[in-house]
Structure formats: structure tokens, C-alpha cells
Amino acid sequence: MRHQDNPITVPSEDLLDRTEFAESMARSIRFIDASKSGFVLGLTGEWGGGKSSVIALIKYFLSKIEIVDLAQGGTSEIRHDNYDEYFVLYKNVEFIILSLEAQGKSPSMTPRSYLINSFDKVLKDDEKSNKAYEYWRMSCLYEAKKKVKFVDFSPWLFSNNAELATTMLTEIGRSIGAGFGLQVQVAFRRYAERFAEFAPLVGAGVDVLIPGGGFSFASTATSMLARKSVDQLTGPTLADLKSDLETALSSLGDRKLLVVLDDLDRLLPNEALQIASIVKGLGSLPNVIYLMSYHANRFEKLIAQAILGGAHISRNRDEGFQYLEKIIQYKRNLPHLDSSYLADMFWSEINEIIQNSESASIEERDLAEIWENITRHYIKGPRDVKRLSNALTISVPALREAVDIADLLVVETLSLFDPDVYEFVRNEIESLRGAA
């Protein structure tokens, strides 16, 4: 868990009791009827509260539901109650499959005996190797027949507004793959290419380029027409291509795309409004579900700042809330995080650091007192626990013989979460010693 702030990927790693919540969301997504028009979901929670982990678990359960259904329709022994075992065994040997693919070899054309023998070198057990192979076999069938296709898009990786909108459209089309048909792929590509032709002329104003994006066409229409080339004045319009895209997506039947937009609160104000406008303009596409994940207060303020130009600060969140209210059809907040889960994470991390550091020790009574009186007031989510444990991973081995570990824990807590107090203590240490 330490060092990397990565989301969990399987329920066995869930220390915050979010598994049931993620599974319920997965089932909701699985059975949303988006065949006539799209659907926009919101997932909100505090910064560092575990939204990305919940999204990873949602994907896990969506895959589990489909693979178990496929298995029950055939000869496979994978069932709902033993799925996790098969999944974990395969994940331990997945690198073998990835290595074959990297060499340009097709695992599906590789003899079964070769794969099982390769798995057995890692798992050291024939039964486990056969279970890992069975999961891989069913996952291949799932990839070919999956009902929900995941498309991950991180808009904060792109700094230019034109690039943001065009890249999102292109990425969705690219991620669809052959499994959802060439017609859908081509429709997305043609729409993205046409969009890219116009985006530089209007600063990628998705409100202008995507019908339903939100703002007035008139403000930019004159300059846009004046700067069009002959090529841009001929050929299909964006409205025509969107209609083609809707037709292609409607042909998917009971299959759908899940477009995941995570960490939206990392964006700049104009980028936040841009991505919300894209979803608003394309949110009605059939068989496309958007999952927007963000810190509500921050993201709503970003959108409001873009709309109001930084004015009316007191109204910022209201403006953003009202804008998103017109886009997001169903919003779920992360479940309230019981402080006992964070306390368990904290104790587990500290004890592991102490055990791995020779000559380091701390009395449980001291640790409990520090948690109760100091640390728990700063730890608001799992990311805070990770930040503190990362700092202690470095400082405890280096200073274990020079300082008391309990004091070091207090100092690192203040350094990370209350720098003003930390600086005061650091600058006034002699006077504080005298007062003591």
C-alpha cells in the first residue's frame, strides 16, 4: 500500500468497506437502459477519499458479472462464490500472457499444455495453474462478447482546450476496438476528424461544435465562417456526422460504452467547463454512459469560475451546481467513512514500518495517545494515511537511533498537515524547551 497512491483493484484490498457500494453501482450500470439516449452518472467524494478505487472495483464487478454469466452458460466451474480465487490466481501469472503478446505471439494459438506448464512454474500447483488457465480462457470469451466496454479518459492530462475535446472523441473511438463493430469505430473517427478541422477556428468551443453543448452559436459564427477553408465548407456537417454516430451506436443493442472521467477537480476552470460541455453535448448518444468522478465543491467552483469569469465568488458553487444539475442524471456520494477504518489503516502502516526498521519501537499506549489527540484530527482519508506512512518510511530508519519514534510521528504529522504549526515549533524549539 505504501509509496504509490494507486487505487485498489480487487475487493480483498478494500480496507474501507466500499465493496458493497461499488458492486451496487456496477449492477446499476449493467442494467441501465441507455439504448435510446445516453446516461450521465456522477460519483462525488472528498479529495483522496477513494473515488478511483471505487471506480476500479466497479470495473471489477462489471467484469465479474459477465464472466460468471458466461461460465454458467458453459462448462466452466467459475461461479460467483469462487470468482475471486480464479481471478487472483490468473493475476499472478498474467505477465506470461502479456509477455507472449509483447513478442508478437498469440496466446490463443499457444498450446494449452504450454500455458499451464508456464503458469505452474509460478504457482507451483497443478490445480491452481488449471484454474488460472480457466480464468484466462473465460476472460478471452468475455472480451469478445462483453456487454459493457470501458473507456478511461483523463482530461487533466491535456492542457489545450482544442486538444481536450478532440482527443476525448478520438480516444473513445480508438478504445471501442473490433468487438463493438467497425461501423461504430468509423463513425467516431469521422466525427472526431471533422471536429478537429473546426476546433482551432473557434478555440475548441464545444458549445459551438457539438449540438446541445450549451452556449450561443452567434458569438463566434461570423469569425468562424470567415476563416473556413473551401474543404471545411464542403462535405458532411457535424450534425450529419453526429446523426451517423447515433445510428451506429443504436445498432449495439444491449451493449454499451462506459466512459470514465476521473479526477475532474484537477482541471483548470476553463477545462472543467469544457469537459462538462462535451458531456452535455454528447450525453444523449445512445448506449453511452458517462461516469464523472469529482470532489463536488471543487469541481462546481471551477465551472462557476469559468462561467462568471472569477466574479461573484460567493455564488461560485451555486452556479456550478446548477450547471451540472442539467447534465448529471444520477449522482452518488461515496459512503461516509467511519474513522475506525482509518485508524486500522494507520495502526497497520505504523506497525509495519516499525517492524521493518531495526531497533525502532513505540509503545502501543503512546501510539494510541498520538492518534487520539493529534493524528486523527488531520487524517481525513486513505490518501492522508499513505502520505504519512510514506514520510515515516523514510524518516524512521534514518532517525530511529537519534529521536524518539513517538516524537518523530508527531513531527511528521505536523510537517505534512499543519506546516504553520510545524514552522513555529521548529523556530521556537529552544524557548519551548525552556518553558517545558
Side-chain angles (χ1 to χ4, degrees), residues 316-350:
N316 269 355
R317 186 176 181 185
D318 289 341
E319 293 286 343
F321 175 82
Q322 291 168 14
Y323 190 84
L324 289 174
E325 196 175 36
K326 300 173 184 177
I327 300 172
I328 297 174
Q329 294 158 276
Y330 183 64
K331 183 170 68 174
R332 293 287 302 271
N333 299 316
L334 285 183
H336 174 71
L337 187 59
D338 193 307
S339 60
S340 64
Y341 292 117
L342 293 177
D344 289 343
M345 286 183 66
F346 171 76
W347 280 68
S348 176
E349 291 287 328
I350 298 302

mmCIF file of all heavy atoms in Angstrom, residues 316-350:
data_model
loop_
_atom_site.group_PDB
_atom_site.id
_atom_site.type_symbol
_atom_site.label_atom_id
_atom_site.label_comp_id
_atom_site.label_asym_id
_atom_site.label_seq_id
_atom_site.Cartn_x
_atom_site.Cartn_y
_atom_site.Cartn_z
ATOM 1 N N ASN A 316 -20.110 31.164 -6.585
ATOM 2 C CA ASN A 316 -19.402 30.243 -7.457
ATOM 3 C C ASN A 316 -19.947 28.828 -7.435
ATOM 4 O O ASN A 316 -20.218 28.238 -8.463
ATOM 5 C CB ASN A 316 -17.913 30.212 -7.116
ATOM 6 C CG ASN A 316 -17.147 31.239 -7.931
ATOM 7 O OD1 ASN A 316 -17.708 31.892 -8.790
ATOM 8 N ND2 ASN A 316 -15.879 31.381 -7.641
ATOM 9 N N ARG A 317 -20.110 28.266 -6.242
ATOM 10 C CA ARG A 317 -20.532 26.874 -6.200
ATOM 11 C C ARG A 317 -21.963 26.719 -6.700
ATOM 12 O O ARG A 317 -22.287 25.726 -7.372
ATOM 13 C CB ARG A 317 -20.400 26.321 -4.791
ATOM 14 C CG ARG A 317 -20.697 24.825 -4.777
ATOM 15 C CD ARG A 317 -20.510 24.174 -3.448
ATOM 16 N NE ARG A 317 -20.804 22.761 -3.566
ATOM 17 C CZ ARG A 317 -20.833 21.916 -2.552
ATOM 18 N NH1 ARG A 317 -20.572 22.352 -1.336
ATOM 19 N NH2 ARG A 317 -21.120 20.642 -2.732
ATOM 20 N N ASP A 318 -22.833 27.662 -6.378
ATOM 21 C CA ASP A 318 -24.218 27.562 -6.825
ATOM 22 C C ASP A 318 -24.306 27.517 -8.347
ATOM 23 O O ASP A 318 -25.061 26.726 -8.915
ATOM 24 C CB ASP A 318 -25.033 28.740 -6.286
ATOM 25 C CG ASP A 318 -25.274 28.636 -4.787
ATOM 26 O OD1 ASP A 318 -25.129 27.521 -4.261
ATOM 27 O OD2 ASP A 318 -25.581 29.661 -4.164
ATOM 28 N N GLU A 319 -23.539 28.379 -9.018
ATOM 29 C CA GLU A 319 -23.548 28.402 -10.477
ATOM 30 C C GLU A 319 -23.087 27.055 -11.049
ATOM 31 O O GLU A 319 -23.672 26.537 -11.999
ATOM 32 C CB GLU A 319 -22.658 29.527 -11.001
ATOM 33 C CG GLU A 319 -23.165 30.922 -10.687
ATOM 34 C CD GLU A 319 -24.359 31.311 -11.547
ATOM 35 O OE1 GLU A 319 -24.585 30.654 -12.584
ATOM 36 O OE2 GLU A 319 -25.062 32.264 -11.173
ATOM 37 N N GLY A 320 -22.021 26.521 -10.478
ATOM 38 C CA GLY A 320 -21.502 25.234 -10.946
ATOM 39 C C GLY A 320 -22.459 24.098 -10.660
ATOM 40 O O GLY A 320 -22.654 23.200 -11.492
ATOM 41 N N PHE A 321 -23.063 24.124 -9.484
ATOM 42 C CA PHE A 321 -24.027 23.084 -9.114
ATOM 43 C C PHE A 321 -25.200 23.077 -10.090
ATOM 44 O O PHE A 321 -25.636 22.020 -10.563
ATOM 45 C CB PHE A 321 -24.524 23.322 -7.692
ATOM 46 C CG PHE A 321 -25.621 22.378 -7.258
ATOM 47 C CD1 PHE A 321 -25.329 21.112 -6.797
ATOM 48 C CD2 PHE A 321 -26.955 22.763 -7.342
ATOM 49 C CE1 PHE A 321 -26.332 20.232 -6.419
ATOM 50 C CE2 PHE A 321 -27.969 21.902 -6.972
ATOM 51 C CZ PHE A 321 -27.657 20.632 -6.504
ATOM 52 N N GLN A 322 -25.717 24.261 -10.403
ATOM 53 C CA GLN A 322 -26.861 24.362 -11.310
ATOM 54 C C GLN A 322 -26.503 23.896 -12.719
ATOM 55 O O GLN A 322 -27.316 23.269 -13.413
ATOM 56 C CB GLN A 322 -27.382 25.794 -11.328
ATOM 57 C CG GLN A 322 -28.034 26.225 -10.024
ATOM 58 C CD GLN A 322 -28.292 27.718 -9.949
ATOM 59 O OE1 GLN A 322 -28.224 28.423 -10.958
ATOM 60 N NE2 GLN A 322 -28.577 28.210 -8.765
ATOM 61 N N TYR A 323 -25.273 24.178 -13.146
ATOM 62 C CA TYR A 323 -24.848 23.751 -14.476
ATOM 63 C C TYR A 323 -24.766 22.224 -14.554
ATOM 64 O O TYR A 323 -25.264 21.603 -15.496
ATOM 65 C CB TYR A 323 -23.486 24.369 -14.809
ATOM 66 C CG TYR A 323 -23.069 24.176 -16.254
ATOM 67 C CD1 TYR A 323 -23.506 25.045 -17.238
ATOM 68 C CD2 TYR A 323 -22.242 23.118 -16.612
ATOM 69 C CE1 TYR A 323 -23.125 24.865 -18.565
ATOM 70 C CE2 TYR A 323 -21.856 22.927 -17.923
ATOM 71 C CZ TYR A 323 -22.300 23.808 -18.899
ATOM 72 O OH TYR A 323 -21.936 23.619 -20.211
ATOM 73 N N LEU A 324 -24.156 21.613 -13.529
ATOM 74 C CA LEU A 324 -24.016 20.160 -13.521
ATOM 75 C C LEU A 324 -25.354 19.458 -13.325
ATOM 76 O O LEU A 324 -25.547 18.331 -13.796
ATOM 77 C CB LEU A 324 -23.038 19.730 -12.418
ATOM 78 C CG LEU A 324 -21.569 20.060 -12.664
ATOM 79 C CD1 LEU A 324 -20.739 19.722 -11.442
ATOM 80 C CD2 LEU A 324 -21.047 19.296 -13.880
ATOM 81 N N GLU A 325 -26.257 20.120 -12.622
ATOM 82 C CA GLU A 325 -27.576 19.540 -12.373
ATOM 83 C C GLU A 325 -28.316 19.255 -13.680
ATOM 84 O O GLU A 325 -29.138 18.338 -13.756
ATOM 85 C CB GLU A 325 -28.395 20.490 -11.496
ATOM 86 C CG GLU A 325 -29.626 19.857 -10.859
ATOM 87 C CD GLU A 325 -30.319 20.829 -9.917
ATOM 88 O OE1 GLU A 325 -30.343 22.036 -10.225
ATOM 89 O OE2 GLU A 325 -30.824 20.383 -8.872
ATOM 90 N N LYS A 326 -28.017 20.041 -14.716
ATOM 91 C CA LYS A 326 -28.661 19.860 -16.013
ATOM 92 C C LYS A 326 -28.004 18.742 -16.824
ATOM 93 O O LYS A 326 -28.533 18.346 -17.867
ATOM 94 C CB LYS A 326 -28.600 21.164 -16.812
ATOM 95 C CG LYS A 326 -29.301 22.339 -16.129
ATOM 96 C CD LYS A 326 -29.056 23.635 -16.884
ATOM 97 C CE LYS A 326 -29.668 24.829 -16.161
ATOM 98 N NZ LYS A 326 -29.365 26.112 -16.846
ATOM 99 N N ILE A 327 -26.850 18.271 -16.365
ATOM 100 C CA ILE A 327 -26.087 17.270 -17.119
ATOM 101 C C ILE A 327 -26.171 15.894 -16.464
ATOM 102 O O ILE A 327 -26.449 14.893 -17.132
ATOM 103 C CB ILE A 327 -24.601 17.699 -17.224
ATOM 104 C CG1 ILE A 327 -24.493 19.039 -17.940
ATOM 105 C CG2 ILE A 327 -23.777 16.625 -17.934
ATOM 106 C CD1 ILE A 327 -23.094 19.629 -17.911
ATOM 107 N N ILE A 328 -25.917 15.845 -15.162
ATOM 108 C CA ILE A 328 -25.838 14.575 -14.440
ATOM 109 C C ILE A 328 -27.245 14.110 -14.054
ATOM 110 O O ILE A 328 -27.975 14.808 -13.364
ATOM 111 C CB ILE A 328 -24.942 14.714 -13.202
ATOM 112 C CG1 ILE A 328 -23.510 15.050 -13.636
ATOM 113 C CG2 ILE A 328 -24.955 13.424 -12.376
ATOM 114 C CD1 ILE A 328 -22.572 15.357 -12.511
ATOM 115 N N GLN A 329 -27.588 12.919 -14.501
ATOM 116 C CA GLN A 329 -28.933 12.404 -14.271
ATOM 117 C C GLN A 329 -29.069 11.657 -12.945
ATOM 118 O O GLN A 329 -30.159 11.546 -12.400
ATOM 119 C CB GLN A 329 -29.329 11.488 -15.436
ATOM 120 C CG GLN A 329 -29.463 12.243 -16.759
ATOM 121 C CD GLN A 329 -29.320 11.349 -17.953
ATOM 122 O OE1 GLN A 329 -28.211 11.057 -18.387
ATOM 123 N NE2 GLN A 329 -30.437 10.910 -18.519
ATOM 124 N N TYR A 330 -27.955 11.127 -12.456
ATOM 125 C CA TYR A 330 -27.995 10.410 -11.175
ATOM 126 C C TYR A 330 -26.630 10.543 -10.513
ATOM 127 O O TYR A 330 -25.601 10.255 -11.134
ATOM 128 C CB TYR A 330 -28.339 8.938 -11.382
ATOM 129 C CG TYR A 330 -28.459 8.147 -10.094
ATOM 130 C CD1 TYR A 330 -29.443 8.442 -9.164
ATOM 131 C CD2 TYR A 330 -27.586 7.100 -9.822
ATOM 132 C CE1 TYR A 330 -29.559 7.720 -7.981
ATOM 133 C CE2 TYR A 330 -27.688 6.366 -8.655
ATOM 134 C CZ TYR A 330 -28.679 6.676 -7.735
ATOM 135 O OH TYR A 330 -28.783 5.965 -6.569
ATOM 136 N N LYS A 331 -26.633 10.980 -9.264
ATOM 137 C CA LYS A 331 -25.370 11.215 -8.557
ATOM 138 C C LYS A 331 -25.323 10.387 -7.286
ATOM 139 O O LYS A 331 -26.291 10.313 -6.539
ATOM 140 C CB LYS A 331 -25.223 12.707 -8.231
ATOM 141 C CG LYS A 331 -23.908 13.067 -7.549
ATOM 142 C CD LYS A 331 -23.711 14.569 -7.477
ATOM 143 C CE LYS A 331 -24.702 15.226 -6.536
ATOM 144 N NZ LYS A 331 -24.415 16.667 -6.362
ATOM 145 N N ARG A 332 -24.158 9.778 -7.044
ATOM 146 C CA ARG A 332 -23.940 9.018 -5.814
ATOM 147 C C ARG A 332 -22.743 9.609 -5.081
ATOM 148 O O ARG A 332 -21.699 9.892 -5.687
ATOM 149 C CB ARG A 332 -23.651 7.542 -6.114
ATOM 150 C CG ARG A 332 -24.798 6.764 -6.695
ATOM 151 C CD ARG A 332 -25.895 6.462 -5.701
ATOM 152 N NE ARG A 332 -25.444 5.715 -4.549
ATOM 153 C CZ ARG A 332 -25.399 4.381 -4.480
ATOM 154 N NH1 ARG A 332 -25.757 3.657 -5.542
ATOM 155 N NH2 ARG A 332 -25.017 3.776 -3.394
ATOM 156 N N ASN A 333 -22.886 9.779 -3.784
ATOM 157 C CA ASN A 333 -21.774 10.207 -2.943
ATOM 158 C C ASN A 333 -21.100 8.985 -2.342
ATOM 159 O O ASN A 333 -21.781 7.996 -2.001
ATOM 160 C CB ASN A 333 -22.270 11.118 -1.819
ATOM 161 C CG ASN A 333 -22.929 12.379 -2.344
ATOM 162 O OD1 ASN A 333 -22.430 13.005 -3.265
ATOM 163 N ND2 ASN A 333 -24.066 12.736 -1.761
ATOM 164 N N LEU A 334 -19.787 9.034 -2.199
ATOM 165 C CA LEU A 334 -19.110 7.945 -1.506
ATOM 166 C C LEU A 334 -19.709 7.767 -0.114
ATOM 167 O O LEU A 334 -20.054 8.751 0.548
ATOM 168 C CB LEU A 334 -17.612 8.236 -1.366
ATOM 169 C CG LEU A 334 -16.721 8.101 -2.599
ATOM 170 C CD1 LEU A 334 -15.278 8.367 -2.214
ATOM 171 C CD2 LEU A 334 -16.845 6.716 -3.219
ATOM 172 N N PRO A 335 -19.827 6.530 0.346
ATOM 173 C CA PRO A 335 -20.359 6.314 1.691
ATOM 174 C C PRO A 335 -19.494 7.019 2.736
ATOM 175 O O PRO A 335 -18.284 7.188 2.557
ATOM 176 C CB PRO A 335 -20.285 4.791 1.868
ATOM 177 C CG PRO A 335 -20.203 4.239 0.486
ATOM 178 C CD PRO A 335 -19.490 5.265 -0.325
ATOM 179 N N HIS A 336 -20.147 7.445 3.820
ATOM 180 C CA HIS A 336 -19.414 8.076 4.910
ATOM 181 C C HIS A 336 -18.330 7.135 5.413
ATOM 182 O O HIS A 336 -18.573 5.943 5.625
ATOM 183 C CB HIS A 336 -20.360 8.427 6.048
ATOM 184 C CG HIS A 336 -19.661 8.964 7.270
ATOM 185 N ND1 HIS A 336 -19.081 10.210 7.301
ATOM 186 C CD2 HIS A 336 -19.423 8.399 8.490
ATOM 187 C CE1 HIS A 336 -18.531 10.404 8.488
ATOM 188 N NE2 HIS A 336 -18.731 9.322 9.225
ATOM 189 N N LEU A 337 -17.146 7.670 5.586
ATOM 190 C CA LEU A 337 -16.011 6.857 6.007
ATOM 191 C C LEU A 337 -15.902 6.849 7.522
ATOM 192 O O LEU A 337 -15.635 7.884 8.142
ATOM 193 C CB LEU A 337 -14.721 7.406 5.390
ATOM 194 C CG LEU A 337 -13.454 6.567 5.586
ATOM 195 C CD1 LEU A 337 -13.652 5.171 5.002
ATOM 196 C CD2 LEU A 337 -12.275 7.249 4.914
ATOM 197 N N ASP A 338 -16.124 5.695 8.116
ATOM 198 C CA ASP A 338 -16.010 5.551 9.560
ATOM 199 C C ASP A 338 -14.550 5.733 9.970
ATOM 200 O O ASP A 338 -13.643 5.137 9.379
ATOM 201 C CB ASP A 338 -16.507 4.162 9.982
ATOM 202 C CG ASP A 338 -16.713 4.048 11.477
ATOM 203 O OD1 ASP A 338 -15.757 4.360 12.227
ATOM 204 O OD2 ASP A 338 -17.817 3.658 11.904
ATOM 205 N N SER A 339 -14.321 6.553 10.985
ATOM 206 C CA SER A 339 -12.940 6.836 11.419
ATOM 207 C C SER A 339 -12.209 5.589 11.886
ATOM 208 O O SER A 339 -10.974 5.543 11.876
ATOM 209 C CB SER A 339 -12.954 7.877 12.543
ATOM 210 O OG SER A 339 -13.687 7.403 13.658
ATOM 211 N N SER A 340 -12.964 4.552 12.271
ATOM 212 C CA SER A 340 -12.311 3.322 12.742
ATOM 213 C C SER A 340 -11.526 2.646 11.617
ATOM 214 O O SER A 340 -10.489 2.015 11.860
ATOM 215 C CB SER A 340 -13.347 2.342 13.315
ATOM 216 O OG SER A 340 -14.255 1.919 12.317
ATOM 217 N N TYR A 341 -12.018 2.784 10.348
ATOM 218 C CA TYR A 341 -11.291 2.191 9.228
ATOM 219 C C TYR A 341 -9.955 2.903 9.019
ATOM 220 O O TYR A 341 -8.926 2.274 8.733
ATOM 221 C CB TYR A 341 -12.134 2.272 7.954
ATOM 222 C CG TYR A 341 -13.365 1.396 7.970
ATOM 223 C CD1 TYR A 341 -14.629 1.956 7.905
ATOM 224 C CD2 TYR A 341 -13.262 0.017 8.063
ATOM 225 C CE1 TYR A 341 -15.773 1.163 7.921
ATOM 226 C CE2 TYR A 341 -14.388 -0.787 8.079
ATOM 227 C CZ TYR A 341 -15.642 -0.202 8.014
ATOM 228 O OH TYR A 341 -16.765 -0.999 8.027
ATOM 229 N N LEU A 342 -9.972 4.226 9.139
ATOM 230 C CA LEU A 342 -8.723 4.984 9.004
ATOM 231 C C LEU A 342 -7.776 4.662 10.143
ATOM 232 O O LEU A 342 -6.560 4.574 9.945
ATOM 233 C CB LEU A 342 -9.028 6.482 8.975
ATOM 234 C CG LEU A 342 -9.793 6.995 7.751
ATOM 235 C CD1 LEU A 342 -10.091 8.480 7.891
ATOM 236 C CD2 LEU A 342 -8.993 6.741 6.477
ATOM 237 N N ALA A 343 -8.318 4.478 11.339
ATOM 238 C CA ALA A 343 -7.476 4.115 12.488
ATOM 239 C C ALA A 343 -6.807 2.765 12.256
ATOM 240 O O ALA A 343 -5.609 2.591 12.534
ATOM 241 C CB ALA A 343 -8.312 4.081 13.764
ATOM 242 N N ASP A 344 -7.554 1.810 11.703
ATOM 243 C CA ASP A 344 -6.980 0.492 11.415
ATOM 244 C C ASP A 344 -5.876 0.596 10.372
ATOM 245 O O ASP A 344 -4.822 -0.052 10.492
ATOM 246 C CB ASP A 344 -8.076 -0.462 10.913
ATOM 247 C CG ASP A 344 -9.053 -0.860 12.012
ATOM 248 O OD1 ASP A 344 -8.717 -0.675 13.197
ATOM 249 O OD2 ASP A 344 -10.155 -1.343 11.680
ATOM 250 N N MET A 345 -6.115 1.414 9.331
ATOM 251 C CA MET A 345 -5.089 1.618 8.314
ATOM 252 C C MET A 345 -3.840 2.231 8.929
ATOM 253 O O MET A 345 -2.707 1.807 8.654
ATOM 254 C CB MET A 345 -5.608 2.535 7.200
ATOM 255 C CG MET A 345 -6.602 1.924 6.256
ATOM 256 S SD MET A 345 -7.057 3.091 4.931
ATOM 257 C CE MET A 345 -5.495 3.234 4.056
ATOM 258 N N PHE A 346 -4.050 3.241 9.763
ATOM 259 C CA PHE A 346 -2.941 3.947 10.407
ATOM 260 C C PHE A 346 -2.117 2.994 11.266
ATOM 261 O O PHE A 346 -0.883 2.935 11.148
ATOM 262 C CB PHE A 346 -3.515 5.088 11.246
ATOM 263 C CG PHE A 346 -2.515 5.764 12.140
ATOM 264 C CD1 PHE A 346 -1.592 6.656 11.626
ATOM 265 C CD2 PHE A 346 -2.508 5.516 13.515
ATOM 266 C CE1 PHE A 346 -0.675 7.279 12.452
ATOM 267 C CE2 PHE A 346 -1.599 6.138 14.350
ATOM 268 C CZ PHE A 346 -0.679 7.017 13.818
ATOM 269 N N TRP A 347 -2.774 2.234 12.117
ATOM 270 C CA TRP A 347 -2.062 1.305 13.001
ATOM 271 C C TRP A 347 -1.318 0.254 12.191
ATOM 272 O O TRP A 347 -0.169 -0.091 12.518
ATOM 273 C CB TRP A 347 -3.050 0.634 13.959
ATOM 274 C CG TRP A 347 -3.428 1.495 15.120
ATOM 275 C CD1 TRP A 347 -4.167 2.636 15.099
ATOM 276 C CD2 TRP A 347 -3.058 1.289 16.489
ATOM 277 N NE1 TRP A 347 -4.298 3.162 16.358
ATOM 278 C CE2 TRP A 347 -3.637 2.358 17.237
ATOM 279 C CE3 TRP A 347 -2.334 0.326 17.160
ATOM 280 C CZ2 TRP A 347 -3.481 2.473 18.614
ATOM 281 C CZ3 TRP A 347 -2.189 0.423 18.536
ATOM 282 C CH2 TRP A 347 -2.750 1.490 19.249
ATOM 283 N N SER A 348 -1.949 -0.267 11.162
ATOM 284 C CA SER A 348 -1.309 -1.285 10.335
ATOM 285 C C SER A 348 -0.052 -0.755 9.667
ATOM 286 O O SER A 348 0.995 -1.420 9.645
ATOM 287 C CB SER A 348 -2.300 -1.778 9.276
ATOM 288 O OG SER A 348 -1.688 -2.697 8.388
ATOM 289 N N GLU A 349 -0.135 0.460 9.122
ATOM 290 C CA GLU A 349 1.012 1.058 8.450
ATOM 291 C C GLU A 349 2.162 1.317 9.424
ATOM 292 O O GLU A 349 3.321 0.992 9.145
ATOM 293 C CB GLU A 349 0.595 2.364 7.776
ATOM 294 C CG GLU A 349 -0.334 2.200 6.589
ATOM 295 C CD GLU A 349 0.390 1.648 5.374
ATOM 296 O OE1 GLU A 349 1.582 1.949 5.202
ATOM 297 O OE2 GLU A 349 -0.242 0.916 4.607
ATOM 298 N N ILE A 350 1.841 1.917 10.564
ATOM 299 C CA ILE A 350 2.889 2.250 11.537
ATOM 300 C C ILE A 350 3.574 0.993 12.052
ATOM 301 O O ILE A 350 4.807 0.930 12.151
ATOM 302 C CB ILE A 350 2.305 3.060 12.716
ATOM 303 C CG1 ILE A 350 1.721 4.389 12.224
ATOM 304 C CG2 ILE A 350 3.384 3.301 13.773
ATOM 305 C CD1 ILE A 350 2.694 5.269 11.498
#
